[in-house]
Amino acid sequence: MNIENTKAQMRKGVLEFCILSVLRDKEAYTSEILDTLKNAKLLVVEGTVYPLLTRLKNDGLLDYRWEESNSGPPRKYYGLTEEGNLFLTELNGTWTELSDAVTLITTKN
């Protein structure tokens, strides 16, 4: 069994939750989202994030706005919609339950 494949699947499973969490308090453009994930040691490439942002937007969880940039082309800033905030609240509860269960199972008493 390939451990790298398993690790990649685990990261992919929490990526949506992490992106929504990054956008919880403020809008951000894709490079900022990627930097935040990278700083948290969750390495993700643009080719993974762009389709996910599009899907989250199409699902009504994100919206975006364009802003001019002094250092290049306009930037697309993503933010949570009201539905996205509600969805994130649900995911937070689910994550806590899942994390507690995994810790209980994997920690030796």
Side-chain angles (χ1 to χ4, degrees), residues 19-34 36 53 61-68 75-82 85:
I19 289 174
L20 293 172
S21 294
V22 167
L23 297 171
R24 172 184 42 233
D25 297 321
K26 67 179 183 93
E27 296 178 326
Y29 61 99
T30 307
S31 294
E32 290 176 320
I33 295 168
L34 286 166
T36 301
L53 289 170
L61 304 178
L62 298 180
D63 56 14
Y64 66 86
R65 65 179 177 78
W66 290 99
E67 186 172 301
E68 292 297 323
R75 294 178 175 167
K76 187 187 281 189
Y77 281 81
Y78 290 91
L80 293 180
T81 62
E82 185 175 329
N85 275 305

Side-chain angles (χ1 to χ4, degrees), residues 30-75:
T30 307
S31 294
E32 290 176 320
I33 295 168
L34 286 166
D35 286 346
T36 301
L37 297 173
K38 180 181 174 186
N39 290 338
K41 307 284 190 262
L42 187 60
L43 302 179
V44 182
V45 296
E46 287 181 20
T48 301
V49 172
Y50 281 114
L52 182 52
L53 289 170
T54 299
R55 185 174 60 74
L56 293 170
K57 181 190 71 67
N58 290 342
D59 288 346
L61 304 178
L62 298 180
D63 56 14
Y64 66 86
R65 65 179 177 78
W66 290 99
E67 186 172 301
E68 292 297 323
S69 170
N70 294 332
S71 61
R75 294 178 175 167

Side-chain angles (χ1 to χ4, degrees), residues 14 17 91-107:
V14 298
F17 178 44
L91 286 181
N92 271 312
T94 300
W95 176 256
T96 299
E97 291 171 4
L98 180 61
S99 177
D100 290 349
V102 170
T103 299
L104 184 64
I105 292 167
T106 59
T107 304

